[in-house]
Amino acid sequence: MGTSLKPANISFPATPRPDPAPHPDHADCRGVASVLSRVGDKWSVFVIMMLSDGPKRFNELKRMINGISQRMLTLTLRGLERDGLVTRTIFPTIPPRVDYELTDLGRGLQEPVKALGEWAIKHQEQIATARTRFDARNET
């Protein structure tokens, strides 16, 4: 008594359709999605906002960003550095001092990110009220 894992029907009468040609007016959505996932990540938004007034040390950022773990801050800073938005400078002191700072590319992003963060702060109560109303309507 066993289960057979051999495919029973391996004959496919229809050939798969080829992928349609990309529309010439659309940019590469995967590339754009990758960039938006970095800059739209909540921790990235906080880090960019905190670095907008100058370089900061790791622990300084950790204290300023309520709720972020050491690991998440490390991963976020690494991702921002990889994407060219943040630089990491090591100073040869004992113990070594490490500063994080926005690059020119990162400074170009700080205005829209700061606006997004300020908008979220300004409207958080309205959104909480809307969520409560929605949840109450959909409890049944």
Side-chain angles (χ1 to χ4, degrees), residues 77-98:
L77 286 166
R78 263 193 209 145
L80 291 169
E81 184 180 8
R82 179 175 183 251
D83 290 347
L85 301 170
V86 167
T87 59
R88 180 177 184 258
T89 305
I90 303 170
F91 295 94
T93 59
I94 299 175
R97 182 178 135 203
V98 180

Side-chain angles (χ1 to χ4, degrees), residues 30-47:
R30 285 176 289 190
V32 172
S34 170
V35 172
L36 290 176
S37 71
R38 165 65 56 217
V39 299
D41 169 77
K42 75 175 179 178
W43 297 122
S44 295
V45 169
F46 284 128
V47 168

